[in-house]
Amino acid sequence: MPLVIGVPKETAAGEKRVATVPEVVEKLVKLGFSVAVQSGAGEAANFSDDTYRAAGAEVIGEAAALWARADIVFKVRAPLTEEVGLLREGATLISFIAPAQNPELMQQLAARKVTVLAIDCLPRTLSRAQKMDALTSMAGVAGYRAVIEAANAFGRFFNGQVTAAGKIPPAKVFIAGAGVAGLAAIGAAAGLGAIVRANDTRAEVADQVVSLGGEFVKVDYEEEGSGGGGYAKVMSEGFQKAQREMYAKQAREVDIIITTALIPGKPAPKLITAEMVASMRPGSVIVDMAAEQGGNCELTEPGRVAVKHGVTIVGYTDLVSRMAKQSSTLYATNLFRLTEELCKTKDGVINVNMEDEAIRGLTVIREGAITWPPPPPKAPPAPPQQAKPAVAAPAAKSSHGHGAGAPMAAGTLAITFAVAAALFALIGAYAPESFLIHFTVFVLACFIGYMVIWNVTPSLHTPLMSVTNAISSIICIGALVQIAPPEVAGSGRADALIRWMAVAGIALTAINMFGGFAVTRRMLAMFRK
């Protein structure tokens, strides 16, 4: 019998997201599941009950009735204590859980004998897990929204403008942390025309910052900052001191600071001190995306906007919910991809395969038994050591004193040219004069096409274009000969037709060659800043 997926209304304060959307409901039904949605669950994200019904979901009015029906519960936020009590024994819960921060919740869920898949525990290093990575999806939305909130609080243009009333300089934005959220913020701020600077402890993200239109600001201290699972690690005191000096300098220069630094399982690191805030120009803005974990700024007040020393500090903890429709759609898609992995038979029944590394990482409770944390990931097998190739014996010299890879000997070259000349003479003795003219033109065109087109600098066009332009040059030279052929007896309407065909050939090859170079120029322009 197919299982019922239940989607309750989120009860956490300020949460507007919903765990699935009508578009995804249709896909879940095709996998064989029944879907039940609590009435009003999607209203805050602009999904009405009628759209869920039209997609094939059952709409249930009371929360208790929904939880009682559901074999699988899709949620966004971790369940509250009263919601844990509504879970059926043996049910499966898929949600954000944060098991490291919520040990009491883990015990409550285990007591209900349920299976819990924490979407925030997905092993992010697995490439096939990217389609299920809700943390990345939500971080991208939050980074974009942080720039929108900054623009709203800033009260000035982001891009520079020259108007009749005067010149307006572009805003300067500094983004602390270039993870998923930081990169999304860099792209959004650069798209609005601001001068964007960014920093991260992981040096490998510098190229990504530049590719999105930002400038990577390096800390004057050498230390590797990459941690496990794609996160940053806690840096040494020496690095942190150099980093604070760099942040203090940026605070004095920029108009907007957006902080994104978080380390899993730890309070948000304090990057922006009160002294740095006081040094910023009046009217500046700080958007602290780590406010929910205490904030990266010492003066952040989680959940609200505060003005300190003339600087507006935005400490919203619901940035993702402020774009509820977009974030709900992305989150629902992540859960659908996870459901596909759990239900590969497409019969409406899930299989929590603990042998699957991705599913094992997600599963924090299995039928009442706490299985978190998961075992460390298996190290990839070491590549087999290849035996060192034996030193090849030197190639035996030919009778002319050259090895196999040596240039052609003078005698061999002379014989080759003699054979070619003999063949050409034989063709000339028996072939008509017109054939010899065309054959000569063909040989010359091939030579010119090779020497002129093939040897053009590779940065100007691709190997495929080299070949096509070489062929086009042959066609073009042949057509030029046909436009002005030597005077021969019997010319008439046939020659006129040939000339017009030659004109058409020149026109088409010219379009091909010049169009190819134009396309290549546009392709190369994509990589220039």
Side-chain angles (χ1 to χ4, degrees):
M1 183 176 178
L3 301 179
V4 177
I5 296 175
V7 183
K9 184 176 181 179
E10 297 295 321
T11 56
E15 183 57 70
K16 299 178 181 178
R17 289 173 290 177
V18 62
T20 198
V21 299
E23 177 186 350
V24 174
V25 167
E26 296 176 356
K27 298 176 182 178
L28 292 171
V29 170
K30 290 180 180 178
L31 283 180
F33 296 96
S34 297
V35 181
V37 180
Q38 184 180 346
S39 179
E43 284 184 358
N46 294 319
F47 297 109
S48 67
D49 291 347
D50 290 339
T51 59
Y52 283 106
R53 291 191 185 95
E58 178 187 1
V59 177
I60 298 177
E62 296 296 326
L66 175 80
W67 288 82
R69 282 282 312 276
D71 301 298
I72 305 168
V73 176
F74 282 2
K75 268 187 63 59
V76 179
R77 295 271 186 171
L80 303 177
T81 301
E82 53 269 26
E83 292 176 317
V84 173
L86 297 175
L87 268 169
R88 287 174 46 188
E89 185 172 326
T92 300
L93 171 66
I94 304 176
S95 173
F96 283 100
I97 297 294
Q101 288 80 28
N102 295 308
E104 293 183 6
L105 174 63
M106 292 285 288
Q107 294 297 332
Q108 293 171 5
L109 291 169
R112 298 294 297 175
K113 306 295 183 184
V114 297
T115 297
V116 179
L117 275 66
I119 197 69
D120 47 322
C121 293
L122 179 75
R124 303 175 78 182
T125 54
L126 297 177
S127 58
R128 71 180 186 86
Q130 293 177 359
K131 61 185 178 181
M132 303 179 277
D133 191 355
L135 280 175
T136 295
S137 299
M138 299 301 100
V141 175
Y144 176 87
R145 183 68 189 196
V147 174
I148 301 304
E149 295 294 342
N152 178 61
F154 186 46
R156 270 180 39 204
F157 294 131
F158 263 42
N159 62 329
Q161 295 190 17
V162 178
T163 69
K167 184 178 180 181
I168 303 172
K172 294 180 180 178
V173 180
F174 177 71
I175 297 171
V180 176
L183 292 174
I186 292 167
L192 289 174
I195 297 173
V196 184
R197 305 170 185 171
N199 168 262
D200 196 279
T201 57
R202 297 159 291 187
E204 64 268 20
V205 304
D207 290 340
Q208 300 176 45
V209 171
V210 174
S211 69
L212 289 170
E215 174 193 350
F216 188 78
V217 182
K218 194 173 183 299
V219 177
D220 190 17
Y221 193 97
E222 293 298 329
E223 182 177 348
E224 175 55 44
S226 296
Y231 294 96
K233 70 175 185 180
V234 179
M235 306 300 287
S236 68
E237 180 57 37
F239 182 92
Q240 292 181 32
K241 180 180 178 182
Q243 187 182 52
R244 285 192 293 270
E245 293 174 356
M246 183 270 291
Y247 283 152
K249 179 182 177 183
Q250 293 300 320
R252 292 191 297 269
E253 296 179 359
V254 302
D255 303 300
I256 296 168
I257 296 178
I258 298 175
T259 64
T260 71
L262 278 175
I263 298 173
K266 296 181 180 295
K270 299 300 181 185
L271 305 178
I272 309 299
T273 64
E275 291 77 12
M276 295 179 194
V277 175
S279 71
M280 297 180 72
R281 290 190 288 265
S284 298
V285 177
I286 296 175
V287 179
D288 194 340
M289 294 182 61
E292 193 168 7
Q293 299 297 326
N296 296 136
C297 176
E298 285 185 347
L299 301 181
T300 296
E301 297 182 13
R304 62 187 301 269
V305 177
V307 179
K308 305 290 179 67
H309 305 291
V311 177
T312 302
I313 304 174
V314 180
Y316 292 144
T317 58
D318 61 346
L319 288 172
V320 179
S321 279
R322 288 170 178 263
M323 298 186 69
K325 186 165 188 175
Q326 180 67 77
S327 54
S328 297
T329 302
L330 293 174
Y331 182 67
T333 302
N334 294 140
L335 294 192
F336 169 69
R337 295 303 180 190
L338 171 58
T339 309
E340 283 185 318
E341 293 293 318
L342 295 171
C343 181
K344 294 183 178 180
T345 54
K346 298 184 179 180
D347 58 355
V349 178
I350 64 172
N351 174 31
V352 181
N353 180 13
M354 300 295 276
E355 299 299 320
D356 186 311
E357 189 173 357
I359 303 302
R360 175 63 187 89
L362 285 167
T363 307
V364 296
I365 299 176
R366 176 71 187 275
E367 297 176 355
I370 296 178
T371 58
W372 186 89
K378 298 177 182 178
Q385 294 183 351
Q386 297 181 350
K388 293 182 179 180
V391 178
K397 291 187 177 182
S398 66
S399 58
H400 298 287
H402 292 277
M408 188 180 293
T412 306
L413 186 62
I415 293 172
T416 302
F417 271 102
V419 172
L423 288 174
F424 190 75
L426 185 63
I427 293 172
Y430 295 98
E433 182 181 356
S434 60
F435 174 80
L436 288 177
I437 294 172
H438 292 300
F439 183 73
T440 303
V441 170
F442 175 75
V443 172
L444 290 174
C446 289
F447 178 76
I448 294 173
Y450 178 81
M451 297 302 296
V452 176
I453 303 298
W454 192 270
N455 291 322
V456 171
T457 305
S459 64
L460 296 181
H461 57 174
T462 63
L464 177 61
M465 282 187 57
S466 299
V467 176
T468 56
N469 281 346
I471 296 172
S472 297
S473 68
I474 296 171
I475 296 171
C476 195
I477 292 175
L480 286 171
V481 171
Q482 294 303 325
I483 287 179
E487 291 295 333
V488 293
S491 61
R493 294 180 61 185
D495 287 344
L497 178 61
I498 291 172
R499 286 192 181 94
W500 282 112
M501 291 177 64
V503 170
I506 291 174
L508 293 175
T509 53
I511 292 172
N512 181 58
M513 287 190 288
F514 288 103
F517 280 111
V519 170
T520 303
R521 184 181 180 86
R522 292 184 62 183
M523 290 173 60
L524 293 174
M526 294 171 62
F527 298 95
R528 297 193 186 101
K529 179 61 182 172

